[in-house]
Amino acid sequence: MELIDVVVIGAGQAGLTASYHLQRSGTDHVLLDRGTSPGGAWRDRWPSLRLGGVHGIHSLPGSALPATDGARPASEVVSEYFGRYEQELELPVLRPVKVDAVRDGGERLVVESSAGTWAARAVINATGTWENPFWPHYPGQHLFTGRQLHTADYRGPEEFRGQHVVVVGGGISAVEHLLEISEVAGTTWVTRRPPHFTDAAFTPEDGRAAVAEVERRVREGLPPGSVVSATGLPNSPAVIAARESGVLDRLPMFQRITAGGVAWDDGSEQRADAILWATGFRPAIAHLAPLNLRGPGGGIRLDGTRAVGEPRLHLVGYGPSASTIGANRAGRAAAREVRALLRAGDQDWLK
């Protein structure tokens, strides 16, 4: 077991930001990343997602995102950027490392991983959501003879050429999938609630209101929900054209899945070769389960980034800090609070 001041888990935007601020203050820490290479969740985004079509990528602290051809895949551009950042700043990244558990070891938190065990005075968890896709369950799901996949598995439209695809989900990813797949295949869009399209520009006030709602949820120990879900679906020229052509004609959720497609209680059915579940993600925090921090509402109560039930643990990229700019702010705040915690502990020891 190795003694260390801080363990940061996850080398995405939030984890790299936290590591940057810890390193600047001279705080002894290690950054554990599950990936085989830099890039965080961006590394696994589908190749057809181009940089020019991505909204809200913010630069990491101390290093601006370089001007790049917007036609390049976002996964390549951001992974390269993160990789250069790690190297140029000489951040203490170890990979690939799977963190199995974080436990209360008394004076320290014990981090058990595939690369060994650390006893840390504080832990900053920055694991995001990409590794925990949410799959709803519907009757007959096991009977379907076609392919079922999640946004996390999506690699682009070409694999569906000539097929019929049912896309499930009311978010931006579902719309992006539909726009692409409809060029090469038949599509059916189903959602639990009618989608909300908006022509209004997204204002800073809208962003603050959405973040405030998610902050309220994590303060109360509820699952954080999504900041993006509160903003509506933007009516871009491509979206408007798809709506006019009928691609974005939405159906209510089906009641069951059959061997050859999906069916509703009114007797209508839709044949399908594939069902694409664009149903979002949940925080990837199973390794924190030994700390028993989940409340009755199902979430972890936070005060800022600090876990209320375990002040030595901070969660960044969770809830209101799930966006890239939110991750930057949260990583900086968590590093600042952790340094204060360490200084207070040192003073207590000197007494």
Side-chain angles (χ1 to χ4, degrees), residues 226-289:
S226 169
V227 172
V228 175
S229 65
T231 66
L233 297 168
N235 258 330
S236 67
V239 168
I240 292 172
R243 293 179 69 183
E244 292 175 347
S245 69
V247 169
L248 297 182
D249 288 347
R250 164 262 181 192
L251 294 176
M253 276 303 301
F254 46 78
Q255 272 67 47
R256 64 188 183 280
I257 300 173
T258 67
V262 297
W264 290 261
D265 279 348
D266 63 2
S268 60
E269 297 188 16
Q270 173 61 57
R271 183 195 66 81
D273 300 288
I275 302 174
L276 174 52
W277 298 91
T279 46
F281 299 80
R282 299 293 184 267
I285 53 176
H287 54 286
L288 302 179

Side-chain angles (χ1 to χ4, degrees), residues 22 38 98 107-108 114 128 144 156 207 237 253 272 314-315 326 341 344:
L22 290 171
K98 178 181 180 294
E107 293 184 358
R108 290 174 179 257
S114 59
F144 185 60
M253 276 303 301
H314 287 256
L315 276 69
L341 176 72

